[in-house]
């Protein structure tokens, strides 16, 4: 089933798009958790990272090279950033159209809060 991200990619829903090519589209997260918070999304509708196949390897590589380019364009390449993919319930995934978060512009702290 299509999500809001498919509608954004199709130009049917609003978003601030920062990058687009034949394989991926990137736009600003509507509820940013950092000064830079971009979502890098395959144009093809793939629900989760657990659904990718060998046919998707070019797209998966493009997600990383697009992230690198966007980080440079946004001036956070030198200070550093985090790339994050959530998968299903325990991973905290809300939108079931594969996406990579690009977060930066401040110190992000540890990857997970320790519970012990
Ligand atoms: P997830 O938890 O699935 O990894 O992340 C989903 C992200 O999508 C969240 O950070 C959320 O703020 C963002 N998001 C949800 N709906 C929209 C929307 O309609 N537009 C944009 N730009 N971001 C959205």
């Amino acid at each position: 089933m299509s999500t809001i991200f498919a509608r954004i990619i199709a130009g049917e829903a609003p978003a601030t798009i920062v990058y687009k090519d034949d394989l991926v589209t990137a736009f600003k997260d509507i509820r940013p958790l950092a000064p830079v918070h971009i979502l890098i999304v395959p144009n093809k509708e793939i629900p989760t990272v657990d659904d990718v196949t060998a046919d998707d390897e070019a797209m998966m590589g493009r997600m990383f090279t697009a992230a690198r380019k966007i980080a440079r364009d946004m001036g956070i390449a030198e200070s550093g950033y985090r790339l994050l993919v959530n998968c299903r319930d325990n991973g905290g995934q809300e939108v079931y159209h594969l996406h990579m978060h690009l977060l930066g512009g401040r110190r992000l702290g540890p990857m997970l809060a320790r519970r012990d």
Side-chain angles (χ1 to χ4, degrees):
M1 203 156 60
S2 284
T3 69
I4 181 68
F5 290 177
R7 295 179 55 223
I8 289 171
I9 290 164
E12 296 165 4
T16 305
I17 292 176
V18 299
Y19 177 85
K20 189 170 181 61
D21 65 28
D22 57 324
L23 294 177
V24 303
T25 300
F27 47 88
K28 291 188 178 180
D29 196 293
I30 204 167
R31 283 178 284 136
L33 294 167
V36 174
H37 188 169
I38 304 295
L39 301 171
I40 300 159
V41 187
N43 295 336
K44 176 181 167 185
E45 289 185 57
I46 300 171
T48 81
V49 73
D50 190 57
D51 298 301
V52 297
T53 69
D55 288 344
D56 300 314
E57 284 174 0
M59 177 278 294
M60 297 290 281
R62 188 70 61 81
M63 288 175 80
F64 279 88
T65 51
R68 177 178 180 270
K69 179 182 173 3
I70 295 162
R72 281 171 190 280
D73 290 349
M74 302 225 159
I76 60 167
E78 297 299 324
S79 54
Y81 53 90
R82 180 172 294 160
L83 300 175
L84 182 73
V85 177
N86 295 320
C87 183
R88 299 192 178 133
D89 278 357
N90 276 3
Q93 184 173 3
E94 290 174 23
V95 178
Y96 277 68
H97 184 145
L98 174 63
H99 51 281
M100 177 188 279
H101 297 255
L102 165 60
L103 298 147
R106 68 167 169 84
R107 289 189 80 81
L108 296 168
M111 191 164 68
L112 288 174
R114 295 200 181 275
R115 294 194 157 187
D116 50 7

